[in-house]
């Protein structure tokens, strides 16, 4: 009860996000050890820093420590004595944020209950470079530098435990291990009136149960329970959905404070209200941006997003489409929550990109779901077909019609900007993708082009799909660039032909990357190639030596060698069909290229396995070397 009383007093001082001033709390929180419940002492025994120290050490620690509550979204002050203090996370979780030049502060690690933070500054005396924010209502024990010195003087075992913790974290950092824990609690917050019961929330919990998780939904009927009850309930489950009732109710406010992640729920056929975003409890300072869950009636997906607010990063980050009665949407969202969403990244490579179809066929036969897809150039086009939910047969026929039956690179023009006008390419993309916008695709998708104005990747996550693809395939010198807001966009392969790094920033599960660009694709054995007369060059071209089109296409898809090596290392599964003897302009080799991609992928799956995505216990990167069968449909 003491923890609950202190938390109520503490929370009463804040209307919204803020910074906890522990100096004000010290007179209230520095109590004698007998004032603490026995359950707290038992909980401390589970901390690594207090392993094998005995009850006497725990009593001394409690006598010298400050026990306090930090509301969700509140920044933990690190000035004064707190700059060199250790904090034990008793309940809840803290997020570690670092400054980002590209936008809001970036979440780099999560400190769950049972862990400690602040050890490095205590040992080295250096100031903190990161910011700590309560991701949800959190209870902490603070051990100041003086109290810690007294503790280790009498109980050296604490220092040994601390050194083990530091060594373990340094080893994880050296190995590049991520400290992101699987989120445990989700606040499902309605943005419109009347969304007190959303079937998708309970269906998602059912799907997680089928995956082997202990999942549950809490609604406003639990609003009268104590903090201890919520802590106990969460401890008994892997995932808890806190389902809000109204946008501005006290129960919804509690849901937000209890959540590791926030999903804002809205009906897709109604305009999103702006006023809830202006409320301070939605502006959770420094914490991860809320996600948007759009609920659709049966029929085609349409986001209904007002164009003047769509994809503003200060409102929400990613978004999800859930169609009524569509079990695949529910399963995909459940995998996202579980951290086992399967992410597919397809490289550019001209006609060699046809191999992606064969690889996707092999993965599909192995039971791999295509939850989130992305790509560059030809890889972006094929990934877009998957995001459109075309079957593999339909995808195959559309790609054949666009690149084999038709000749998109045939509208030569005066080469002031490029060799081709690009009108045929644009017409074919419009024909197959129509007016579809990226944000309205049923599955999460992005493609990449290269921004010649800034010299950086340009990631397309919204806007007309056909136009984004037109930019992604605009090989410099072959197709004219696309102008976007004053920027010149060309083929993404110039800078990032395999955008695994972009996918990895928020993958929420394993990444399967397919690289078809090849190590050596363009050869010339004549050392005087390019120095000969025009007649000699014509004769060389007739003998199959590289032409200007082949040179430009290869230059537009090769990417940076160092960047390519780095992004390949980020993939959990890398499939790289050799495609010997196949050039990037081998459009007539359509069937043969698909067959080679399929054959190689089948061998690769047999050797390395595939992600086991529909099992909670498996973890996001576990693989199996047998065909995965999907679970039966939800009833």
């Amino acid at each position: 009860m003491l923890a609950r009383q202190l938390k109520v007093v503490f929370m009463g001082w804040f209307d919204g996000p803020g910074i906890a001033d522990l100096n004000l709390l010290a007179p209230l929180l520095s109590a004698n050890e007998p004032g603490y419940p026995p359950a707290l002492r038992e909980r401390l025994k589970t901390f690594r820093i207090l392993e094998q120290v005995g009850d006497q050490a725990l009593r001394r620690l409690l006598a010298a420590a400050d026990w306090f509550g930090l509301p969700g979204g509140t920044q933990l002050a690190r000035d004064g004595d707190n700059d060199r203090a250790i904090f034990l996370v008793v309940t809840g979780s803290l997020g570690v944020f670092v400054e980002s030049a590209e936008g809001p502060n970036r979440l780099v690690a999560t400190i769950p209950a049972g862990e400690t933070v602040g050890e490095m500054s205590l040992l080295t005396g250096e100031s903190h470079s990161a910011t700590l924010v309560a991701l949800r209502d959190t209870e902490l024990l603070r051990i100041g530098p003086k109290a810690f010195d007294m503790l280790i003087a009498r109980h050296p075992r604490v220092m040994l435990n601390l050194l083990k913790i530091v060594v373990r974290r340094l080893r994880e950092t050296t190995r590049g291990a991520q400290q992101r824990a699987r989120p445990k609690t989700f606040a499902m917050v309605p943005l419109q009136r009347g969304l007190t019961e959303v079937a998708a929330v309970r269906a998602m919990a059912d799907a997680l149960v089928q995956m082997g998780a202990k999942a549950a939904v809490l609604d406003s009927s639990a609003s009268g329970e104590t903090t201890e009850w919520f802590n106990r309930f969460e401890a008994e489950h892997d995932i808890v959905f806190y389902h809000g009732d109204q946008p501005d109710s006290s129960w919804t406010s509690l849901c937000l404070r209890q959540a590791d992640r926030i999903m804002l729920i809205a009906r897709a056929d109604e305009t999103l209200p702006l006023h809830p975003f202006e409320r301070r409890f939605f502006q959770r300072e420094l914490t991860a941006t809320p996600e948007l869950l759009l609920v659709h009636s049966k029929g085609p997906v349409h986001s209904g997003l007002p164009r003047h607010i769509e994809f503003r990063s200060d409102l929400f980050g990613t978004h999800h489409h859930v169609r009524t009665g569509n079990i695949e949407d529910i399963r995909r969202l459940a995998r996202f929550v579980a951290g086992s969403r399967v992410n597919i990244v397809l490289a550019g490579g001209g006609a060699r990109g046809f191999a992606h179809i064969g690889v996707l066929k092999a993965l599909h036969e192995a039971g791999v779901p295509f939850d989130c897809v992305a790509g560059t150039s030809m890889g972006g086009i094929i990934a877009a077909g998957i995001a459109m939910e075309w079957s593999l047969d339909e995808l195959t026929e559309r790609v054949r019609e666009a690149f084999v039956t038709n000749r998109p690179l045939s509208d030569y023009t005066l080469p002031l900007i490029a060799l081709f006008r690009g009108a045929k390419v644009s017409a074919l993309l419009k024909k197959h993708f129509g007016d579809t916008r990226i944000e309205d695709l049923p599955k999460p998708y992005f493609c990449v082009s290269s921004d010649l104005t800034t010299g950086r990747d340009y990631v397309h996550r919204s806007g007309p799909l056909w136009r984004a693809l037109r930019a992604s395939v605009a090989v410099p010198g072959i197709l004219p660039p696309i102008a976007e807001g004053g920027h010149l966009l060309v083929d993404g392969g110039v800078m990032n032909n395999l955008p695994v790094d972009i996918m990895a920033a928020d993958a929420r599960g394993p990444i399967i990357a397919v690289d078809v660009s090849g190590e050596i694709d363009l050869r010339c054995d004549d050392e005087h190639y390019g120095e000969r007369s025009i007649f000699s060059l014509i004769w060389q071209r007739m003998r199959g030596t590289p032409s200007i089109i082949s040179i430009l296409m290869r230059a537009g898809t090769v990417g940076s060698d160092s960047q390519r090596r780095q992004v390949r290392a980020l993939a959990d599964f890398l499939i790289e069909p050799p495609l010997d003897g196949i050039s990037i302009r081998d459009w007539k080799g359509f069937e043969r290229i698909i067959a080679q991609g399929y054959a190689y992928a089948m061998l690769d799956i047999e050797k390395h396995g595939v992600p086991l995505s529909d099992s909670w216990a498996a973890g996001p990167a576990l693989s199996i070397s047998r065909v995965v069968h999907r679970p039966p449909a939800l009833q």
Side-chain angles (χ1 to χ4, degrees), residues 226-406:
T226 64
T227 301
E228 288 79 6
W229 185 90
F230 286 119
N231 290 335
R232 192 164 56 250
F233 188 86
E234 292 174 12
E236 295 170 352
H237 293 82
D238 298 311
I239 290 287
V240 176
F241 295 103
Y242 284 86
H243 196 342
D245 50 2
Q246 297 296 338
D248 52 0
S249 70
S250 59
W251 167 248
T252 295
S253 180
L254 185 146
C255 293
L256 289 164
R257 295 197 314 271
Q258 287 293 113
D260 295 329
R261 294 287 188 273
I262 298 174
M263 283 192 180
L264 309 178
I265 307 176
R267 301 184 190 92
D269 56 356
E270 296 181 13
T271 302
L272 291 181
L274 283 175
H275 66 276
F277 293 114
E278 307 303 327
R279 298 187 62 86
R280 294 185 66 189
F281 63 76
F282 277 112
Q283 301 287 337
R284 288 164 49 108
E285 183 179 358
L286 297 175
T287 57
T289 307
E291 296 160 2
L292 182 63
L293 178 61
L294 288 165
V295 180
H296 300 260
S297 58
K298 294 183 179 180
V301 167
H302 179 68
S303 68
L305 297 177
R307 298 306 175 199
H308 64 284
I309 68 166
E310 67 183 19
F311 295 97
R312 276 176 47 190
S313 60
D314 59 323
L315 297 184
F316 52 86
T318 187
H319 68 290
H320 312 270
H321 295 292
V322 175
R323 291 160 290 188
T324 302
N326 190 313
I327 191 58
E328 290 304 318
D329 288 351
I330 296 296
R331 285 175 175 163
R332 181 167 58 250
L333 191 57
R335 288 189 290 268
F336 176 82
V337 168
S340 59
R341 180 180 75 175
V342 178
N343 308 274
I344 310 290
V345 182
L346 307 180
R352 293 168 66 95
F354 296 155
H356 290 313
I357 299 175
V359 173
L360 292 172
K361 180 181 178 182
L363 291 172
H364 176 72
E365 291 178 0
V368 177
F370 306 147
D371 294 324
C372 180
V373 289
T376 296
S377 196
M378 179 64 77
I381 291 176
I382 292 176
I386 297 297
M388 292 277 290
E389 295 188 325
W390 294 343
S391 68
L392 288 176
D393 288 341
E394 181 180 2
L395 174 63
T396 301
E397 290 309 310
R398 286 180 179 270
V399 173
R400 186 203 308 273
E401 192 271 338
F403 293 97
V404 181
T405 304
N406 288 282

Side-chain angles (χ1 to χ4, degrees), residues 207-230:
L208 287 164
V209 169
Q210 288 198 3
M211 293 169 63
K214 296 179 180 178
V217 179
L218 288 178
D219 56 27
S220 58
S221 62
S223 59
E225 302 294 346
T226 64
T227 301
E228 288 79 6
W229 185 90
F230 286 119

Side-chain angles (χ1 to χ4, degrees), residues 264-590:
L264 309 178
I265 307 176
R267 301 184 190 92
D269 56 356
E270 296 181 13
T271 302
L272 291 181
L274 283 175
H275 66 276
F277 293 114
E278 307 303 327
R279 298 187 62 86
R280 294 185 66 189
F281 63 76
F282 277 112
Q283 301 287 337
R284 288 164 49 108
E285 183 179 358
L286 297 175
T287 57
T289 307
E291 296 160 2
L292 182 63
L293 178 61
L294 288 165
V295 180
H296 300 260
S297 58
K298 294 183 179 180
V301 167
H302 179 68
S303 68
L305 297 177
R307 298 306 175 199
H308 64 284
I309 68 166
E310 67 183 19
F311 295 97
R312 276 176 47 190
S313 60
D314 59 323
L315 297 184
F316 52 86
T318 187
H319 68 290
H320 312 270
H321 295 292
V322 175
R323 291 160 290 188
T324 302
N326 190 313
I327 191 58
E328 290 304 318
D329 288 351
I330 296 296
R331 285 175 175 163
R332 181 167 58 250
L333 191 57
R335 288 189 290 268
F336 176 82
V337 168
S340 59
R341 180 180 75 175
V342 178
N343 308 274
I344 310 290
V345 182
L346 307 180
R352 293 168 66 95
F354 296 155
H356 290 313
I357 299 175
V359 173
L360 292 172
K361 180 181 178 182
L363 291 172
H364 176 72
E365 291 178 0
V368 177
F370 306 147
D371 294 324
C372 180
V373 289
T376 296
S377 196
M378 179 64 77
I381 291 176
I382 292 176
I386 297 297
M388 292 277 290
E389 295 188 325
W390 294 343
S391 68
L392 288 176
D393 288 341
E394 181 180 2
L395 174 63
T396 301
E397 290 309 310
R398 286 180 179 270
V399 173
R400 186 203 308 273
E401 192 271 338
F403 293 97
V404 181
T405 304
N406 288 282
R407 295 178 57 207
L409 295 181
S410 59
D411 52 350
Y412 286 93
T413 185
L414 188 65
L416 299 176
I417 300 176
L419 293 175
F420 302 96
R421 292 176 54 211
K424 291 193 68 174
V425 174
S426 297
L428 286 169
L429 292 173
K430 288 180 182 178
K431 174 183 177 181
H432 290 282
F433 296 102
D435 297 328
T436 303
R437 297 180 64 88
I438 295 176
E439 61 267 32
D440 291 340
L441 289 169
K443 295 184 178 183
Y445 168 86
F446 70 84
C447 65
V448 176
S449 61
S450 299
D451 189 340
L452 295 183
T453 305
T454 64
R456 298 179 179 177
D457 300 338
Y458 192 99
V459 184
H460 300 266
R461 299 185 187 273
S462 62
L465 176 59
W466 78 265
R467 187 171 174 82
L469 293 173
R470 173 63 178 79
S472 189
V473 301
V475 179
I478 292 184
L479 292 174
I482 289 292
E484 188 77 32
H487 294 244
L488 286 179
L489 307 180
V490 297
D491 194 296
V494 173
M495 296 177 183
N496 195 342
N497 198 45
L498 186 65
V500 181
D501 53 335
I502 298 172
M503 181 69 82
D506 190 24
R508 303 286 184 92
I511 299 175
I512 301 176
V514 186
D515 190 356
V516 296
S517 57
E519 294 293 338
I520 300 176
D521 186 50
L522 204 63
R523 296 181 58 89
C524 183
D525 297 326
D526 185 356
E527 295 182 0
H528 297 285
Y529 173 75
E531 301 175 6
R532 302 187 182 277
S533 68
I534 186 170
F535 298 104
S536 297
L537 291 175
I538 293 174
W539 176 250
Q540 284 181 331
R541 176 67 190 97
M542 292 174 63
R543 291 187 301 167
T545 52
S547 69
I548 183 174
I549 297 177
S550 296
I551 293 171
L552 289 174
M553 288 190 68
R554 179 57 174 163
T557 57
V558 69
S560 164
D561 285 340
S562 60
Q563 188 269 351
R564 183 167 173 252
R565 286 193 297 269
Q566 291 174 3
V567 299
R568 283 157 58 94
L570 294 174
D572 297 289
F573 299 83
L574 177 63
I575 301 176
E576 191 177 17
L579 304 177
D580 296 333
I582 297 175
S583 74
I584 55 179
R585 296 180 60 198
D586 192 1
W587 309 111
K588 294 182 179 180
F590 183 75

Side-chain angles (χ1 to χ4, degrees), residues 8-327:
V8 171
V9 171
F10 181 68
M11 288 167 54
W13 294 344
F14 292 91
D15 268 340
I19 299 178
D21 187 348
L22 300 187
N23 294 323
L24 293 174
L25 291 173
L28 291 174
L29 298 174
S30 295
N32 292 328
E33 186 272 335
Y36 293 101
L40 177 60
R41 191 189 310 169
E42 292 300 316
R43 194 175 303 169
L44 292 181
K45 294 180 181 180
T46 64
F47 282 75
R48 288 190 178 94
I49 195 174
L50 300 175
E51 287 179 351
Q52 302 179 17
V53 299
D55 289 340
Q56 186 177 6
L58 294 180
R59 285 194 293 268
R60 288 197 175 99
L61 182 147
L62 286 172
D66 297 322
W67 185 24
F68 64 96
L70 199 62
T74 304
Q75 181 180 336
L76 179 62
R78 307 298 297 278
D79 54 357
D81 290 339
N82 294 335
D83 189 50
R84 295 186 62 239
I86 290 182
F87 296 90
L88 282 68
V89 183
V90 180
T91 63
S93 62
L94 295 177
V96 181
F97 291 82
V98 297
E99 293 184 359
S100 174
E102 300 179 353
N105 288 4
R106 183 166 55 92
L107 176 67
V108 296
T110 300
I111 311 298
E115 293 289 341
T116 58
V117 66
E119 306 92 345
M120 293 297 293
S121 294
L122 185 63
L123 292 174
T124 64
E126 297 178 354
S127 298
H128 302 277
S129 59
T131 301
L132 297 179
V133 178
L135 297 180
R136 48 185 299 200
D137 284 0
T138 301
E139 294 181 11
L140 301 166
L141 273 177
R142 171 191 177 276
I143 307 174
K146 292 182 179 179
F148 184 77
D149 289 343
M150 293 177 60
L151 183 65
I152 62 174
R154 295 189 178 186
H155 305 279
R157 179 75 192 188
V158 175
M159 177 56 77
L160 178 60
N161 292 341
L162 178 59
L163 291 176
K164 289 181 178 180
I165 292 173
V166 172
V167 169
R168 175 176 58 86
R169 291 184 178 174
L170 286 175
R171 184 181 296 116
E172 290 176 349
T173 301
T174 302
R175 293 176 179 174
Q178 295 183 347
Q179 299 183 32
R180 295 180 182 178
R182 213 162 15 187
K184 188 180 186 69
T185 58
F186 286 77
M188 313 300 290
V189 178
L191 290 182
Q192 298 149 338
R193 301 287 175 181
L195 282 174
T196 56
E197 179 64 27
V198 179
V201 177
R202 297 193 180 274
M204 187 166 34
D206 291 340
L208 287 164
V209 169
Q210 288 198 3
M211 293 169 63
K214 296 179 180 178
V217 179
L218 288 178
D219 56 27
S220 58
S221 62
S223 59
E225 302 294 346
T226 64
T227 301
E228 288 79 6
W229 185 90
F230 286 119
N231 290 335
R232 192 164 56 250
F233 188 86
E234 292 174 12
E236 295 170 352
H237 293 82
D238 298 311
I239 290 287
V240 176
F241 295 103
Y242 284 86
H243 196 342
D245 50 2
Q246 297 296 338
D248 52 0
S249 70
S250 59
W251 167 248
T252 295
S253 180
L254 185 146
C255 293
L256 289 164
R257 295 197 314 271
Q258 287 293 113
D260 295 329
R261 294 287 188 273
I262 298 174
M263 283 192 180
L264 309 178
I265 307 176
R267 301 184 190 92
D269 56 356
E270 296 181 13
T271 302
L272 291 181
L274 283 175
H275 66 276
F277 293 114
E278 307 303 327
R279 298 187 62 86
R280 294 185 66 189
F281 63 76
F282 277 112
Q283 301 287 337
R284 288 164 49 108
E285 183 179 358
L286 297 175
T287 57
T289 307
E291 296 160 2
L292 182 63
L293 178 61
L294 288 165
V295 180
H296 300 260
S297 58
K298 294 183 179 180
V301 167
H302 179 68
S303 68
L305 297 177
R307 298 306 175 199
H308 64 284
I309 68 166
E310 67 183 19
F311 295 97
R312 276 176 47 190
S313 60
D314 59 323
L315 297 184
F316 52 86
T318 187
H319 68 290
H320 312 270
H321 295 292
V322 175
R323 291 160 290 188
T324 302
N326 190 313
I327 191 58

